[in-house]
Amino acid sequence: MIKESALNPETASFRETVPAGEYFLKVVQAGETLRILDLEGNQAADTLFYNAHNPTERYSVTDTLRAQGNVYLTAGSRLMSSENNVMLEITADTCGRHDTLGGACAAESNTTRYALEKKCMHACRDSWLVAVTEHEELGMTKRDITHNINFFMNVPVTADGGLTFADGISDAGKYVEMEARMDVLVMISNCPQLNNPCNGWNPTPIEVLVWS
Amino acid sequence: MLETASPLYDDLIPGGSHWSFIMRRGHVLRLIDETGHANVGMLMYNPENPLERYNMPDTLKNQHTFKLTRGHVLLSDMGRVFASIIRDDLGWHDTVSGTCNAELVAHRWGRKTYQQAHNQYHRNGLSSFLNELAKYGLGKKDLTANLNWFSRVKTDDAGNMTYVSDHSHAGATVDLRFEMDTIVVLHTCPHPLDSAADYPSHPLRYQLFRASPVTDADPCKTSSPEATRAFANTALYHLMP
Ligand SMILES: [Zn+2]
């Protein structure tokens, strides 16, 4: 569902550009609004959310799908935690659909999806593993890397149980915006995937904005 | 596909229960819906390094599928094959709907405590998983999207999910051939989208067999280039003990 935001980027309390292949880590307080902006189009923002006070509670794809009875995310979707609490609610979306079934790329999944020789190419899970090891204060490890949201990705499910990877429906300037319902740690890997035609083999930067 | 006609082991897990064990590579775990309408929640881990676990997204996207059935492999997050589905009587098993929790079970079917109902009390899938995971030093951080054997959740063009209530039947069978040693954690608690009037409590019969050796022409190994590469990764893992 396309729903535009009334918020003005000029009034954002925080703005940061995240290059492809980098991670982004920030606590967003309950009541604040987070926007992820696709600067150049068809980029994938692989995102994990944690309860900022207890990262054992985290975004759960299965609880989210079940709570809304739908496999796609868009405006109105409530992002649920592993403890069945609402973490964030998507309040605006100019893309229309986001994927949470396809997971993130990892060095090892690149070997199965593309070619065994691709194992040393940089991948989203590498970015997250760097993030948690560079931030020991979070007390997080690979155990905490679970299933994520792929903002701006389109992964249609067919009625007979197929899963397809369609061309991106995002474009330069499209965004998704969500309001935090609890204090959340946001961990994004701005995807470096060089093997997937969905991004035209060209990973590009995103921008993250927060309104207090 | 089975080296032995009669099972090496045969057991029945009551409905609304949980259990776990280590499957050794080269063996088949047969799951049988004893009475019909069963749901079996399952998680899988590598006993040598439990940080390697079943990965729903990798399993689905590598095989371009939303459902699981014969010919599919169940992938770990390290690009390897825990198990191959070598037989399936149903054609569709769910792995995206997760598991019921205490709140959901109490809301839908009422709370039945142990004091009231003894072993017929209402267990839920999430607590059941955590109960079994603790036996291996694992916990909440190790939970991932689980499998729901014998359950079907379909979607329409808009992505709306529907639980199919009359999917499985008595005797429906799934054979999983394990390609790696695997911690198998399972429960027989209701599917979280089941709307049956009474708490669905359906047992699981499971049997163990020795598997025939996997050939290069094996249907699971050759089902897709992705599966072939996952088997290559698994073979390498066993080459480097
Ligand atoms: Zn990626």
Side-chain angles (χ1 to χ4, degrees):
Chain A
M1 186 176 67
I2 304 294
K3 189 177 173 196
E4 295 202 10
S5 167
L7 293 170
N8 181 351
E10 304 299 322
T11 64
S13 55
F14 173 91
R15 289 182 82 159
E16 189 172 306
T17 299
V18 185
E22 301 283 327
Y23 71 81
F24 173 86
L25 203 62
K26 182 178 172 56
V27 172
V28 175
Q29 308 288 339
E32 290 186 325
T33 296
L34 167 75
R35 179 187 292 187
I36 304 175
L37 172 64
D38 190 356
L39 285 170
E40 297 181 28
N42 293 329
Q43 177 59 6
D46 291 44
T47 305
L48 293 164
F49 296 107
Y50 301 85
N51 177 334
H53 308 288
N54 173 17
T56 302
E57 178 174 16
R58 67 277 307 268
Y59 172 73
S60 165
V61 51
T62 55
D63 292 280
T64 299
L65 297 189
R66 218 168 55 237
Q68 62 173 3
N70 192 290
V71 295
Y72 309 121
L73 303 179
T74 186
S77 297
R78 293 177 308 156
L79 309 182
M80 305 299 289
S81 78
S82 52
E83 311 266 337
N84 218 25
N85 296 313
V86 181
M87 303 190 83
L88 306 102
E89 183 169 339
I90 301 182
T91 45
D93 177 20
T94 59
C95 184
R97 179 186 280 185
H98 307 270
D99 163 63
T100 188
L101 286 173
C105 60
E108 288 76 9
S109 68
N110 281 349
T111 69
T112 57
R113 277 196 85 191
Y114 304 111
L116 295 175
E117 311 76 62
K118 306 279 188 186
K119 65 177 172 292
C120 295
M121 291 178 67
H122 188 56
C124 280
R125 190 168 66 186
D126 286 356
S127 291
W128 287 328
L129 291 173
V130 170
V132 296
T133 47
E134 286 185 349
H135 293 271
E136 277 184 24
E137 73 279 6
L138 297 172
M140 289 162 67
T141 67
K142 179 177 177 288
R143 277 181 93 182
D144 299 282
I145 309 297
T146 55
H147 308 327
N148 60 293
I149 299 173
N150 294 307
F151 287 115
F152 310 120
M153 287 292 290
N154 183 24
V155 182
V157 177
T158 63
D160 63 351
L163 191 73
T164 44
F165 293 84
D167 279 346
I169 51 174
S170 186
D171 206 347
K174 297 215 174 182
Y175 60 84
V176 58
E177 205 169 272
M178 57 213 102
E179 192 179 309
R181 295 272 181 265
M182 64 167 76
D183 297 350
V184 289
L185 173 72
V186 181
M187 189 158 78
I188 303 174
S189 161
N190 193 22
C191 187
Q193 185 53 255
L194 289 172
N195 300 292
N196 193 331
C198 292
N199 64 1
W201 296 280
N202 180 31
T204 50
I206 56 168
E207 187 179 4
V208 179
L209 300 90
V210 177
W211 286 264
S212 296
Chain B
M1 296 304 237
L2 306 178
E3 206 155 81
T4 42
S6 57
L8 304 167
Y9 182 68
D10 184 325
D11 190 24
L12 191 77
I13 296 180
S17 303
H18 48 80
W19 197 237
S20 63
F21 43 83
I22 296 182
M23 281 298 297
R24 299 294 173 186
R25 75 185 272 229
H27 290 78
V28 170
L29 173 63
R30 170 167 289 176
L31 306 172
I32 304 168
D33 182 352
E34 184 84 352
T35 60
H37 204 87
N39 177 67
V40 176
M42 185 182 284
L43 292 170
M44 293 183 285
Y45 303 83
N46 178 350
E48 274 190 335
N49 173 14
L51 285 176
E52 178 172 7
R53 63 273 310 262
Y54 171 67
N55 190 290
M56 172 273 274
D58 285 353
T59 298
L60 296 186
K61 74 183 171 191
N62 268 282
Q63 301 175 103
H64 304 269
T65 188
F66 179 70
K67 64 186 177 192
L68 295 173
T69 186
R70 180 170 189 257
H72 288 141
V73 293
L74 307 176
L75 295 179
S76 81
D77 69 336
M78 297 294 282
R80 296 189 273 252
V81 184
F82 276 130
S84 304
I85 307 176
I86 60 171
R87 172 183 170 180
D88 172 31
D89 294 349
L90 292 175
W92 192 308
H93 303 267
D94 166 51
T95 185
V96 307
S97 306
T99 199
C100 56
N101 53 45
E103 196 183 357
L104 188 153
V105 167
H107 176 254
R108 203 165 298 163
W109 296 295
R111 202 177 295 279
K112 260 194 189 176
T113 65
Y114 183 79
Q115 165 102 6
Q116 292 167 331
H118 293 169
N119 280 310
Q120 273 69 53
Y121 81 106
H122 286 178
R123 289 182 173 95
N124 69 82
L126 183 64
S127 304
S128 292
F129 278 149
L130 291 172
N131 192 328
E132 292 302 322
L133 284 172
K135 297 175 182 177
Y136 306 88
L138 306 176
K140 282 184 181 177
K141 290 183 164 200
D142 302 290
L143 288 169
T144 60
N146 59 282
L147 300 138
N148 283 307
W149 297 107
F150 306 114
S151 294
R152 178 179 179 198
V153 174
K154 59 180 184 179
T155 61
D156 63 16
D157 287 344
N160 297 303
M161 300 161 70
T162 309
Y163 173 78
V164 180
S165 60
D166 57 352
H167 182 51
S168 186
H169 57 266
T173 298
V174 179
D175 283 352
L176 304 179
R177 183 185 64 212
F178 281 78
E179 317 295 358
M180 288 172 62
D181 289 358
T182 304
I183 300 172
V184 174
V185 177
L186 57 84
H187 69 66
T188 50
C189 293
H191 189 280
L193 297 176
D194 194 338
S195 59
D198 296 319
Y199 178 84
S201 180
H202 303 281
L204 166 73
R205 180 168 297 282
Y206 72 96
Q207 299 173 333
L208 305 183
F209 298 86
R210 218 176 306 285
S212 304
V214 181
T215 67
D216 284 342
D218 183 83
C220 289
K221 198 173 182 174
T222 58
S223 60
S224 64
E226 289 87 349
T228 305
R229 291 191 285 265
F231 268 91
N233 285 340
T234 312
L236 180 64
Y237 178 68
H238 291 126
L239 195 67
M240 303 171 100

